[in-house]
């Protein structure tokens, strides 16, 4: 019997996984942080005016709380192909199998999409620059700010608030109102 396939959702996969999970658990990933460190040249920006999307950025002292989504065994091959087509559309993400701990203390391994820090889409911007870009960017899937707001709203709704994301969302709202 093969091990269950879990996918770690920390951004848009939380609110738009593209499949119906067989099981969902709150989970924490150690050594990584949720960060707007990936330039989006497709979905939330363009090659000429990149937006920003979330990625997992390695940080030994950090952790990221999100959802572990279990894929139904009979759908694993199809779901993985669809998730890979979505997440690996450029070379920005690296697919990794990483250890998670669920909300009850159980350990599991999940597929997670982490940023390639050597890639051209990686960036390390201060929060004000992030807010400026997110407030003004748009791509094939819509306004960059809607991506931020949906993620912050869903994390808070799950009882997993992210103070940095909340502060960024508030700043983007202010910039959007000014614009």
């Amino acid at each position: 019997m093969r091990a269950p396939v879990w996918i770690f959702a920390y951004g848009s996969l939380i609110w738009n996984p593209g499949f119906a999970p067989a099981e969902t658990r709150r989970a924490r990933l150690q050594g990584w942080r949720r960060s707007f460190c990936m330039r989006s040249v497709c979905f939330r920006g363009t090659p000429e005016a990149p937006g920003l999307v979330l990625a997992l950025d390695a940080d030994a002292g950090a952790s990221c709380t999100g959802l572990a989504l279990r894929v139904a065994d009979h759908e694993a091959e199809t779901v993985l192909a669809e998730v890979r087509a979505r997440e690996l559309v450029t070379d920005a993400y690296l697919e990794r199998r990483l250890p998670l701990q669920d909300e009850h203390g159980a350990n599991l391994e999940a597929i997670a999409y982490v940023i390639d820090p050597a890639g051209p889409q990686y960036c390390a911007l201060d929060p004000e620059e992030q807010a400026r870009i997110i407030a003004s960017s748009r791509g094939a899937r819509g306004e960059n700010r809607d991506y931020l707001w949906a993620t912050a709203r869903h994390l808070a709704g799950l009882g997993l608030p992210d103070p940095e994301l909340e502060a960024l969302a508030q700043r983007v709202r202010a910039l959007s109102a000014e614009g």
Side-chain angles (χ1 to χ4, degrees), residues 21-179:
E23 182 181 356
T24 301
R25 298 183 192 177
R26 292 178 190 201
R28 179 178 306 274
L29 174 62
Q30 292 296 131
W32 299 84
R33 64 184 174 89
R34 177 187 296 112
S35 174
F36 273 98
C37 63
M38 181 175 141
R39 294 187 192 282
S40 177
V41 296
C42 298
F43 299 140
R44 299 297 173 165
T46 64
E48 301 77 28
L52 294 174
V53 291
L54 290 165
L56 290 171
D57 200 4
D59 183 341
S63 67
C64 178
T65 303
L67 297 178
L69 309 175
R70 186 171 61 79
V71 179
D73 291 341
H74 69 280
E75 295 180 318
E77 191 174 309
T78 301
V79 167
L80 283 176
E82 291 170 356
V83 171
R84 286 173 175 146
R86 169 183 168 172
E87 300 299 316
L88 301 175
V89 69
T90 67
D91 293 332
Y93 283 131
L94 302 172
E95 183 179 284
R96 296 290 185 256
R97 291 190 177 269
L98 298 172
L100 304 179
Q101 187 171 66
D102 77 9
E103 61 193 318
H104 305 292
N107 295 316
L108 53 105
E109 183 181 80
I111 293 170
Y113 294 93
V114 305
I115 190 71
D116 179 356
Q121 288 176 257
Y122 178 75
C123 60
L125 306 172
D126 66 61
E128 186 60 28
E129 182 68 6
Q130 291 175 13
R132 187 190 64 71
I133 291 168
I134 292 168
S136 63
S137 296
R138 178 176 181 69
R141 291 209 176 143
E143 302 286 338
N144 201 170
R145 61 184 171 220
D146 293 340
Y147 168 93
L148 164 62
W149 294 338
T151 303
R153 183 174 62 252
H154 282 85
L155 284 169
L158 291 166
L160 303 173
D162 182 317
E164 289 180 20
L165 215 63
E166 286 293 332
L168 185 59
Q170 198 169 33
R171 181 62 184 132
V172 169
R173 282 187 188 92
L175 287 171
S176 297
E178 293 169 10

